[in-house]
């Protein structure tokens, strides 16, 4: 608090509140650990302030959620009415906050990218701009040979992990947000958003030791949703990253993005046999079976890849994995409707 007087009040309130609600102390511990090694950046100070204020707002109103995972909004403007809205007189934010037991409410760029994508694809440009504009001060900017790289860092350990290096950045949000800022620039003409898109795309050339998330594997390049586990090749995270690269190329014409996208296409083709148990799709390459919601997401993503590439391999696997649903007595996805939906999408 002595080093960062602007945070003295909010840290003091959070520390006092943590005596009753210990989850609030987690971000204080995380950022204190970083501050013992180096000075916090301007973006980190913004994130810590935002996180503590969100926690203080929520816990002034409610007991901790009774689930290990919970998403709330501190704004009336949210993608779905079913997302709980928490109203506080002294705090509002268009960003989603994700609760993990033991970690409190966290700003999570992956969830933010999902909300922004929903807004843009449904024509709610004003809501998308409000969210993406609020995120801009939270971007870390680093210089490298390919130009300035923008990074939306994560400052918590996901459930089931301990002792990982913080912060870390997910390919999922880096790719999608590069595409979404480019899309928002296309809608508004605001050069600030184009600059943000360029910086985020440049992050794909960061080395692993500098926070990179692109891994060379036996299957080809892989975009790591969780780069602290380079052997954990998550199928949906890889393809969604590619979706962001495709959007970025569409709205900027940058051929480097198309090259990365095409490389990702080839790696998906190589891994599909190792993402198939013979009865169900796997969450990651040679990993566990996917939950039903992820299995259905895999089908939708493969349909999307088929429409964008014309490669029959993706449609064949989408049909195969759709049949697995029926074999388990579950309702199949309507592939014709999905194909039409992708073809008609922006």
């Amino acid at each position: 608090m002595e080093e960062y007087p602007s945070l003295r009040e909010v840290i003091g309130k959070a520390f006092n509140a943590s005596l009753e609600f210990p989850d609030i102390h987690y971000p204080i511990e995380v950022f204190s650990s970083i501050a013992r090694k180096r000075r916090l950046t301007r973006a980190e100070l913004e994130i810590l302030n935002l996180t503590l204020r969100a926690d203080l707002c929520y816990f002034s109103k409610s007991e901790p959620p009774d689930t290990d995972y919970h998403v709330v909004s501190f704004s009336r403007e949210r993608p779905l009415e079913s997302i709980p809205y928490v109203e506080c007189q002294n705090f509002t934010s268009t960003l989603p906050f994700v609760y993990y037991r033991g970690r409190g409410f966290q700003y999570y760029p992956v969830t933010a990218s999902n909300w922004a994508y929903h807004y843009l694809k449904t024509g709610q440009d004003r809501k998308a701009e409000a969210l993406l504009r609020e995120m801009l001060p939270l971007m870390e900017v680093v210089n490298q040979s390919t130009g300035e790289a923008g990074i939306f860092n994560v400052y918590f350990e996901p459930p089931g992990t301990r002792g990982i290096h913080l912060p870390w950045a997910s390919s999922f949000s880096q790719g999608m947000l590069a595409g979404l800022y480019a899309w928002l620039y296309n809608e508004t003409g605001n050069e600030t958003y184009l600059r943000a898109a360029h910086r985020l795309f440049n992050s794909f050339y960061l080395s692993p030791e500098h926070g990179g998330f692109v891994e060379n594997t036996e299957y080809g390049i892989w975009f790591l949703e969780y780069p602290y586990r380079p052997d954990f090749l998550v199928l949906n995270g890889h393809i969604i990253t590619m979706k962001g690269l495709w959007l970025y190329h569409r709205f900027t014409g940058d051929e480097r993005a198309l090259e990365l996208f095409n490389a990702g296409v080839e790696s998906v083709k190589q891994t599909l046999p190792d993402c198939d148990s013979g009865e169900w799709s796997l969450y990651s390459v040679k990993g566990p079976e996917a939950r039903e919601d992820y299995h259905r997401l895999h089908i939708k993503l493969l349909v999307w890849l088929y429409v964008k590439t014309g490669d029959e391999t993706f449609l064949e696997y989408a049909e195969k994995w759709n049949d697995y649903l029926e074999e388990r007595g579950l309702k199949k996805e309507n592939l014709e409707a999905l194909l039409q939906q992708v073809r008609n999408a922006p």
Side-chain angles (χ1 to χ4, degrees):
M1 287 193 289
E2 296 306 318
E3 285 289 320
Y4 305 100
S6 64
L7 292 176
R8 184 180 293 122
E9 182 179 357
V10 71
I11 291 176
K13 288 180 178 179
F15 184 81
N16 291 333
S18 71
L19 299 177
E20 184 177 0
F21 303 109
D23 286 355
I24 299 178
H25 204 264
Y26 179 83
I28 298 177
E29 291 177 355
V30 166
F31 283 93
S32 293
S33 176
I34 295 171
R36 282 192 287 269
K37 301 170 187 173
R38 58 167 174 79
R39 286 195 63 81
L40 299 180
T41 67
R42 183 179 299 179
E44 287 172 335
L45 294 175
E46 293 276 0
I47 291 168
L48 177 56
N49 181 50
L50 192 67
T51 303
L52 293 179
R53 292 179 69 200
D55 275 319
L56 286 168
C57 173
Y58 182 88
F59 288 109
S60 72
K61 300 277 186 177
S62 306
E63 293 292 313
D66 56 8
T67 59
D68 292 334
Y69 171 84
H70 187 64
V71 180
V72 301
S73 174
F74 295 96
S75 168
R76 293 186 185 278
E77 295 192 349
R78 55 206 193 275
L80 301 169
E81 288 294 320
S82 58
I83 297 169
Y85 164 54
V86 182
E87 183 176 11
C88 288
Q89 187 175 3
N90 59 350
F91 180 68
T92 183
S93 174
T94 62
L95 301 174
F97 283 82
V98 181
Y99 172 82
Y100 294 102
R101 192 182 302 277
R103 291 157 174 77
F105 283 91
Q106 297 284 342
Y107 144 75
Y108 192 20
V110 167
T111 309
S113 72
N114 285 335
W115 283 26
Y117 179 60
H118 171 81
Y119 290 145
L120 282 170
K121 75 177 182 180
T122 54
Q124 300 179 77
D125 297 353
R126 184 182 59 81
K127 290 184 180 181
E129 183 172 15
L131 187 154
L132 292 172
R133 186 174 58 243
E134 187 176 352
M135 287 186 74
L136 285 175
L138 312 181
M139 181 194 291
E140 206 67 65
V141 179
V142 299
N143 291 308
Q144 58 174 2
S145 59
T146 56
E148 291 183 333
I151 309 168
F152 283 116
N153 278 321
V154 179
Y155 289 87
F156 63 87
E157 298 168 305
T161 63
R162 296 294 296 177
I164 68 172
H165 179 73
L166 295 177
W168 56 277
S170 175
S171 71
F172 184 128
S173 47
Q174 291 295 114
M176 279 303 294
L177 288 164
L180 296 175
Y181 275 106
W183 188 345
L184 185 60
Y185 164 71
N186 187 70
E187 298 296 323
T188 65
N190 188 328
E191 295 280 344
T192 300
Y193 305 134
L194 182 61
R195 195 157 49 246
H198 287 334
R199 286 171 168 169
L200 287 162
F201 177 72
N202 279 339
S203 71
F204 280 78
Y205 298 99
L206 288 168
S207 60
E209 59 268 26
H210 290 102
F213 43 80
V214 181
E215 184 76 6
N216 290 312
T217 75
E218 61 184 287
Y219 306 99
I221 68 167
W222 198 268
F223 306 119
L224 299 172
E225 184 172 358
Y226 304 106
Y228 50 83
R229 286 190 58 186
D231 59 335
F232 188 34
L233 310 183
V234 179
L235 182 61
N236 82 86
H238 176 72
I239 300 176
I240 291 171
T241 302
M242 293 165 53
K243 201 170 186 177
L245 290 170
W246 184 88
L247 285 169
Y248 179 82
H249 173 260
R250 176 187 170 186
F251 291 115
T252 67
D254 192 328
E255 290 300 315
R256 296 175 302 162
L258 187 59
E259 290 172 9
L260 284 175
F261 172 81
N262 288 333
V265 167
E266 291 306 311
S267 57
V268 174
K269 288 175 65 176
Q270 292 297 318
T271 58
L272 283 175
D274 286 339
C275 289
D276 189 331
S277 72
E279 299 177 340
W280 202 251
S281 69
L282 305 180
Y283 180 73
S284 57
V285 181
K286 297 181 181 178
E289 281 198 352
R291 293 189 325 226
E292 182 186 339
D293 56 339
Y294 280 112
H295 181 78
R296 292 182 182 277
L297 177 59
H298 290 161
I299 293 168
K300 293 170 184 175
L301 290 171
L302 290 176
V303 167
W304 182 85
L305 276 175
Y306 167 68
V307 172
K308 299 307 178 188
T309 66
D311 192 314
E312 295 284 343
T313 304
F314 300 123
L315 184 58
E316 290 167 8
Y317 268 88
E319 291 170 340
K320 183 181 181 183
W321 291 356
N322 206 30
D323 288 341
Y324 290 161
L325 287 168
E326 187 174 49
E327 290 167 12
R328 293 197 178 185
L330 300 167
K331 183 179 179 181
K332 296 174 72 172
E333 294 290 328
N334 185 334
L335 294 190
E336 283 303 317
L338 287 175
L339 285 164
Q340 197 62 35
Q341 182 182 338
V342 176
R343 289 177 179 132
N344 293 336

